[in-house]
Each structure stands twice: as structure tokens, then as C-alpha cells.
């Protein structure tokens, strides 16, 4: 028996089949690429469209559906613009919030990775320095043999205590639980992660800018510290080769002078030589220095890879690292010349998580660490400050 369908009925069938195929293709795409998955990002060299297409084709074959974009007969979809005007149908469209958090406060903390972390017993860091050698030297036959004492100095630095405290309320935790299985934000874990990162920012800031001797009101996050609370940082600990640049523009000559002072301990006749291997500055000064070096960079290249994949520009063989924690205002910029083998982060207690007492309908915790940075030979480092 043969059936004759009208052209209108054939058209309706073709449209329904096309929409059915499109729905299946969409379902397959969502399984292959869940919400938030990046499959094209030119800056990172990601382009998975070919693989997605191939996988989608295999998915379609597995479901015995012949997909052909040529058969799609898409009709104009109902507008969702009425949502803002309160349309009765469009207000029912659910809103899906991307669980990924866009962190606008993020910073790099390269010095925490480049400066050695060393275990510390007790809350006082004590170490010895050989500051001068006693020399007998050449003498006549039969000369009296007298001893010549070397000079030693004991240095002591106190461990400091750093905390980050967070909490979430019971209602917030209860309200968020049903969404955890859907990949949405885990409130407690996010708070712990954020406080942990905050603690690292505080540590990097104090490693560079800390002033435990006098205190300061410019700590990370606008914190004020009275004297004795935070450790002294690099800008405070480098004293022998601290040079006031008097608002001068950064130049080859000035930076090379700083490097030479770090190598020779400011031309000391009793101290030896340093081994500077890192320059640290702000982003503006780095750009100014780079503009002076443009001809050299074209010839030698401008990238030097430090440990942990940190990339930096080179100046006279020393990598130049820019940090947002360095001062970057006019006539107050700085360049630090570091011999990293003279620096240590002495750690009595590395980062640890603890839950605090429950005194209300909330979950309260802290992240803490006990440590202090030291330099066992500040004379082999240099600091140029008050650059333009």
C-alpha cells in the first residue's frame, strides 16, 4: 500500500526531524564539553574544535542518527528579551552561575619560591658570621709564632607569627550543599583556599617591605603593624649597600654600580665577594630598563627562565624580576640586587590549618605560619632607592 503525503506534511516532518537531530547534537556537545570548558583559546594555543567535531560525529553514529546540517530547518526561536520586562514564559528560564571565580586580586609571589625555606628549631634564629680573618703571613726564619685570632659575630632574629582567619555561617553552608553535586562553589573550601592565598600575599609583601623595627601602616590589604609584629624585609635588611638615587632616572651606570657594590661588599678590604644573581624591581622601572636595552634584546633575546618556569629579562647576565609588591610611585622606585644564597626563610611552623572553637552558628578556622626571613650576609646585596 502506498501513501501520498502532502507537501505541507512533508515539510513539517522534515522540520521536526531536523530539530530532533539538532537536539541530539546539542546533547552530545554538552556531554563532550561541560559548562565552563575552554575549547578555543588562541592566546594559550588551545583549539579543540577538530577533536570536538570528530568526537561529536562518533557520538552521533553511536546513537544511530544521521546528522546533516543541510537538513536543518531552523525556525525563529521565541525571544527571551522579555525576561527584563517580566514575560510569564521567559521568567521561568533558569540562570546558571559559572562556578569559576574570577579573582581580580591575584598577584604573583615569585620570591617565596626563589628564596630557600629552611627549618628552624626554637623561636630565635641564631647564626654566626666570620667577619675578619687573623693573618700571620710570611716571617723570617726562627721568628716568634704568635696566634692571630679570627673575628666572629653572633646574630639573632626572632620568629614572627602570621595568621589568616575565616568563617562561614551555618545557613550559608546548608544552602550551598544541594548545589555541590552540580559543581557549584563549595563555600568552606573556597574560603580556606582564599585565606591560604592571602597568607602567601602577606608573606611576600613582608619579605620585601617588612619593617618590624619601626612598624608601618602600608602592609598588604592596608594593614598597620606596630613595631615588633612583622619581620624586617629585604628593603630594611640591606643597609651596607643602600644607595639614595635622589630621583635619578634608572640607567645602566647606576644599576651596574649597585651590582658592583654587591659583588665587592662596597669595596671592603676585609670582606670577600658576593655572588649577586637576581635583580628585583617594580614594573615601571623594569620597562624603563628594558627600553634602554632594546638594541641588546634584539640581539640576545629578552627571556631568561628561572626555576619553577618563572621567566625574566636579563641585565648583564642577571635576571630582572618585577613584583607588584615593590614600591612603584614617582621618585620612590627601587632596584634590589640580591645574592639569593645569602637569604633564607627560616620556618618554625609552615602553613597549617586549624578549626577554631564553635561559639555560634558558624564554622571558624585559621591558617597560620611561624617564620622570619634573614640574610646571613646583607653586605653581598644592594639596594638603590628613590629612582624617578
Amino acid at each position: 500500500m502506498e501513501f501520498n503525503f502532502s507537501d505541507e506534511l512533508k515539510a513539517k516532518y522534515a522540520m521536526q526531524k531536523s530539530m530532533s537531530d539538532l537536539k541530539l547534537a546539542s546533547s552530545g556537545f554538552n556531554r563532550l564539553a561541560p559548562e565552563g570548558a575552554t575549547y578555543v583559546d588562541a592566546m594559550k594555543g588551545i583549539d579543540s574544535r577538530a577533536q570536538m567535531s570528530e568526537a561529536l560525529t562518533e557520538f552521533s553514529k553511536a546513537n544511530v542518527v544521521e546528522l546533516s546540517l543541510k537538513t536543518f530547518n531552523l525556525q525563529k526561536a521565541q525571544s527571551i528579551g522579555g525576561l527584563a520586562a517580566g514575560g510569564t514564559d521567559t521568567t521561568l528560564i533558569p540562570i546558571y552561575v559559572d562556578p569559576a571565580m574570577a579573582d581580580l586580586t591575584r598577584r604573583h609571589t615569585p620570591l617565596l619560591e626563589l628564596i630557600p625555606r629552611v627549618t628552624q628549631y626554637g623561636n630565635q634564629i641564631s647564626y654566626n658570621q666570620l667577619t675578619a680573618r687573623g693573618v700571620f703571613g710570611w716571617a723570617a726564619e726562627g721568628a716568634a709564632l704568635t696566634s692571630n685570632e679570627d673575628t666572629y659575630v653572633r646574630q639573632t632574629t626572632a620568629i614572627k607569627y602570621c595568621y589568616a582567619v575565616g568563617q562561614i555561617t551555618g545557613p550559608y553552608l546548608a544552602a550551598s550543599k544541594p548545589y555541590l553535586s552540580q559543581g557549584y562553589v563549595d563555600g568552606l573550601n573556597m574560603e580556606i583556599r582564599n585565606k591560604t592565598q592571602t597568607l602567601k600575599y602577606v608573606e611576600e609583601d613582608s619579605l620585601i617591605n617588612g619593617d618590624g623595627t619601626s612598624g608601618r601602616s602600608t602592609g598588604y590589604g592596608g594593614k598597620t603593624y606596630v613595631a615588633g609584629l612583622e619581620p624586617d624585609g629585604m628593603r630594611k635588611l640591606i643597609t651596607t649597600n643602600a644607595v639614595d638615587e635622589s630621583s635619578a632616572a634608572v640607567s645602566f651606570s647606576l644599576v651596574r654600580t649597585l651590582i658592583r657594590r654587591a659583588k665587592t661588599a662596597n669595596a671592603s678590604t676585609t670582606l670577600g665577594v658576593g655572588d649577586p644573581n637576581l635583580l628585583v624591581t617594580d614594573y615601571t622601572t623594569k620597562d624603563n630598563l628594558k627600553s634602554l636595552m632594546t638594541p641588546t634584546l634584539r640581539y640576545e633575546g629578552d627571556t631568561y627562565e628561572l626555576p619553577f618556569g618563572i621567566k625574566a629579562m636579563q641585565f648583564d647576565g642577571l635576571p630582572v624580576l618585577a613584583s607588584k609588591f615593590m614600591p612603584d610611585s614617582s621618585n620612590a622606585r627601587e632596584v634590589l640586587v640580591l645574592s639569593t644564597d645569602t637569604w633564607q626563610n627560616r620556618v618554625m611552623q609552615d602553613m597549617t590549618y586549624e578549626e577554631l572553637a564553635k561559639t555560634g552558628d558558624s564554622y571558624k578556622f585559621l591558617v597560620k605560619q611561624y617564620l622570619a626571613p634573614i640574610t646571613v650576609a646583607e653586605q653581598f646585596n644592594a639596594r638603590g632607592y628613590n629612582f624617578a
Side-chain angles (χ1 to χ4, degrees):
M1 182 179 294
E2 183 177 348
F3 294 94
N4 294 317
F5 297 104
S6 66
D7 291 341
E8 181 181 359
L9 187 59
K10 290 180 180 179
K12 287 184 178 180
Y13 172 75
M15 182 189 74
Q16 290 174 355
K17 183 177 184 300
S18 297
M19 295 305 294
S20 176
D21 291 350
L22 180 60
K23 182 178 179 181
L24 182 58
S26 177
S27 172
F29 183 82
N30 288 338
R31 295 186 196 181
L32 294 169
E35 175 74 25
T38 300
Y39 60 96
V40 178
D41 189 334
M43 293 299 292
K44 295 181 179 179
I46 299 173
D47 189 347
S48 302
R49 286 174 292 191
Q51 294 89 332
M52 292 288 292
S53 177
E54 182 179 350
L56 183 57
T57 300
E58 294 300 322
F59 174 85
S60 302
K61 290 180 179 178
N63 286 272
V64 198
V65 175
E66 180 181 0
L67 297 179
S68 174
L69 294 177
K70 295 181 180 178
T71 65
F72 285 165
N73 183 15
L74 302 181
Q75 303 296 312
K76 185 175 184 294
Q78 184 173 2
S79 172
I80 63 172
L83 182 61
T88 56
D89 54 346
T90 55
T91 55
L92 298 179
I93 297 175
I95 296 176
Y96 183 85
V97 181
D98 192 335
M101 186 66 64
D103 185 2
L104 305 185
T105 69
R106 64 182 184 180
R107 296 194 183 193
H108 297 152
T109 56
L111 288 178
L112 292 187
E113 309 302 330
L114 297 177
I115 301 302
R117 296 177 81 83
V118 180
T119 55
Q120 168 64 30
Y121 294 166
N123 63 357
Q124 296 293 322
I125 307 167
S126 294
Y127 56 95
N128 298 315
Q129 294 175 323
L130 172 61
T131 60
R133 294 180 180 272
V135 180
F136 184 85
W138 304 94
E141 180 181 356
L145 302 178
T146 58
S147 63
N148 300 92
E149 299 295 330
D150 297 331
T151 303
Y152 299 94
V153 176
R154 171 71 56 84
Q155 303 287 0
T156 301
T157 301
I159 288 287
K160 304 298 180 182
Y161 315 109
C162 191
Y163 303 89
V165 183
Q167 72 172 15
I168 64 170
T169 65
Y172 171 67
L173 189 61
S176 64
K177 280 183 178 179
Y179 298 97
L180 296 183
S181 61
Q182 302 176 29
Y184 195 58
V185 175
D186 183 331
L188 180 58
N189 285 336
M190 182 181 70
E191 187 72 2
I192 294 172
R193 184 170 61 251
N194 285 344
K195 295 307 179 186
T196 301
Q197 191 62 56
T198 298
L199 203 64
K200 303 308 289 184
Y201 292 163
V202 171
E203 184 184 351
E204 178 95 352
D205 174 53
S206 294
L207 175 60
I208 295 173
N209 303 303
D211 189 351
T213 302
S214 306
R216 63 184 177 124
S217 59
T218 56
Y220 175 72
K223 293 292 293 183
T224 295
Y225 301 109
V226 299
L229 284 186
E230 72 170 337
D232 285 333
M234 292 175 169
R235 296 174 58 214
K236 188 73 175 181
L237 292 172
I238 299 173
T239 56
T240 300
N241 296 314
V243 181
D244 187 347
E245 305 294 354
S246 303
S247 301
V250 66
S251 67
F252 288 166
S253 176
L254 292 177
V255 176
R256 283 172 175 150
T257 296
L258 292 173
I259 296 173
R260 184 171 63 252
R261 290 178 68 115
K263 285 182 176 179
T264 65
N266 194 22
S268 171
T269 58
T270 57
L271 300 180
V273 295
D275 187 21
N277 58 349
L278 182 65
L279 300 181
V280 180
T281 188
D282 57 272
Y283 283 93
T284 301
T285 302
K286 179 184 176 182
D287 284 346
N288 292 340
L289 191 58
K290 190 172 184 177
S291 66
L292 298 175
M293 297 173 60
T294 299
T296 303
L297 296 178
R298 288 174 179 170
Y299 178 73
E300 297 181 353
D302 65 344
T303 302
Y304 178 87
E305 188 160 326
L306 293 162
F308 302 101
I310 301 171
K311 293 184 178 181
M313 177 184 77
Q314 289 188 85
F315 177 85
D316 282 6
L318 277 65
V320 181
L321 196 63
S323 171
K324 197 168 183 180
F325 291 100
M326 289 289 288
D328 193 5
S329 56
S330 181
N331 300 320
R333 299 185 176 98
E334 302 194 9
V335 174
L336 303 180
V337 181
L338 304 178
S339 298
T340 58
D341 61 345
T342 68
W343 293 90
Q344 297 177 0
N345 256 323
R346 299 297 289 265
V347 183
M348 186 172 75
Q349 171 69 68
D350 216 329
M351 193 172 293
T352 303
Y353 165 84
E354 288 185 13
E355 294 182 357
L356 297 177
K358 190 174 178 62
T359 58
D361 188 13
S362 65
Y363 295 83
K364 197 172 185 179
F365 65 91
L366 65 80
V367 184
K368 66 180 182 180
Q369 56 185 4
Y370 310 148
L371 52 80
I374 62 169
T375 173
V376 296
E378 63 85 16
Q379 297 88 342
F380 298 148
N381 301 270
R383 172 192 172 212
Y385 60 98
N386 291 340
F387 278 104

